[in-house]
Amino acid sequence: MKGSPGATTLAVALAARWPAPARALVVEADPSGGDLGLRFSLSSTPGLVSLAAAARRGGDADLVWRHTQQLPGGLSVVAAPPDADQARAALSALAPDPTSGLGVLRAAANEPGTVVIVDCGRVDPGSPALPIVRACDAVVLLSRAHADDLAHLPRRLPTVGRWSPNPVLLLVGAGYSTAEVARELGVPPLGRVPDDPNGAAVLCGRPNTLRWGRSGPERSALGRFARRVAIELATRERTPAHRTQPRPAEPVTQVPVLRSVPGVPPGAVSSNGVRVAPSLAADHRDQQGGQAS
């Protein structure tokens, strides 16, 4: 929602650890420009630009796969250009049209045994990736956990709830504990992404002590966390193939979602945001207490 809390790295981690036998695909749809091409020295094409051009003529579910490249571990990705202007132009051509551009992503996601994970970067009201967000089966929000980051969430959460029937909040980094966020915002986070430099490095194409592949990410704290999130997302009900707009929210009991916590008064969050961040001692106790799942 704000800053750069590692959305691309988590998207790759989710795809790498998605439960078998589903095949996973990562699509970079960040209007600020892509990172995967530079991280893994990918070719400039095929990718998001070539997919947007081809989708203007329509296509089937296989069209998306013809514009992918593979990361070292075999994961398929549609990489966005690093230049923000090119990325926004490609998204502006791809996302708004539910019958061609956006339709080919939806068609790929509707294929049996397939999951399409889209990295939309920072989603603002004017983002050209917003039509993709609104067409997703589930939306995973990343937010840092300090007061200045969380202060932006109270007014945004009702809007996020209209984007998707399955919104999920994950925290990144130190700051408020998951329990404090639930109390202050009325939102139970699904968990906190672990601080795992080695695990992140293997998913970013950087030198590290772990090897790419199922064994490397599986051994890392980030990989294990992504696996738990992926399994819980995979259990959610699939939406109809024709849906390109969000349906009304439905009760979901498998995992916490962005809804009020029982017992939290509606006025728990002031109009100016959350209260002062917890003490360092509280942060330390939260970090020592392990990760929420």
Side-chain angles (χ1 to χ4, degrees):
M1 297 297 290
K2 186 176 186 293
S4 179
T8 302
T9 301
L10 182 65
V12 174
L14 286 174
R17 303 300 297 130
W18 200 267
R23 61 175 181 170
L25 166 67
V26 174
V27 177
E28 268 194 307
D30 189 342
S32 297
D35 296 318
L36 293 178
L38 295 176
R39 289 178 181 180
F40 293 96
S41 300
L42 302 178
S43 301
S44 58
T45 189
L48 186 70
V49 173
S50 63
L51 174 62
R56 294 174 183 173
R57 300 184 293 273
D60 53 21
D62 290 334
L63 177 64
V64 175
W65 295 93
R66 293 197 291 271
H67 294 269
T68 63
Q69 299 185 56
Q70 287 194 334
L71 301 188
L75 178 65
S76 295
V77 301
V78 176
D83 181 77
D85 289 338
Q86 291 182 347
R88 291 186 69 89
L91 287 171
S92 296
L94 179 69
D97 191 342
T99 61
S100 57
L102 182 55
V104 299
L105 295 179
R106 186 72 254 178
N110 287 335
E111 284 292 291
T114 300
V115 59
V116 177
I117 298 175
V118 187
D119 168 22
C120 293
R122 177 178 173 177
V123 179
D124 294 315
S127 171
L130 189 55
I132 297 176
V133 174
R134 292 175 60 85
C136 286
D137 298 306
V139 172
V140 179
L141 296 172
L142 293 180
S143 176
R144 297 193 185 278
H146 291 296
D148 55 340
D149 301 299
L150 297 175
H152 297 267
L153 287 178
R155 292 188 179 92
R156 298 296 301 277
L157 293 181
T159 301
V160 173
R162 293 191 293 270
W163 289 348
S164 169
N166 293 318
V168 170
L169 175 64
L170 296 178
L171 301 178
V172 179
Y176 272 60
S177 70
T178 53
E180 286 164 328
V181 171
R183 183 178 68 248
E184 297 293 332
L185 299 185
V187 172
L190 182 59
R192 185 183 298 267
V193 181
D195 182 14
D196 180 14
N198 283 336
V202 74
L203 298 167
C204 293
R206 300 172 187 149
N208 59 88
T209 59
L210 299 175
R211 297 172 58 190
W212 182 278
R214 294 187 64 85
S215 59
E218 187 176 0
R219 289 201 305 268
S220 72
L222 177 58
R224 293 193 299 269
F225 177 83
R227 175 72 170 182
R228 293 197 298 270
V229 174
I231 289 174
E232 296 198 46
L233 290 174
T235 64
R236 291 168 176 264
E237 179 185 359
R238 296 283 297 198
T239 52
H242 65 274
R243 186 178 70 84
T244 57
Q245 294 295 326
R247 62 185 180 186
E250 299 174 355
V252 178
T253 58
Q254 294 96 326
V255 297
V257 295
L258 297 183
R259 56 183 56 154
S260 297
V261 176
V264 176
V269 181
S270 73
S271 60
N272 294 324
V274 297
R275 293 196 288 269
V276 178
S279 66
L280 293 178
D283 285 344
H284 180 73
R285 288 195 303 271
D286 180 55
Q287 293 171 3
Q288 296 297 318
Q291 305 299 327
S293 61

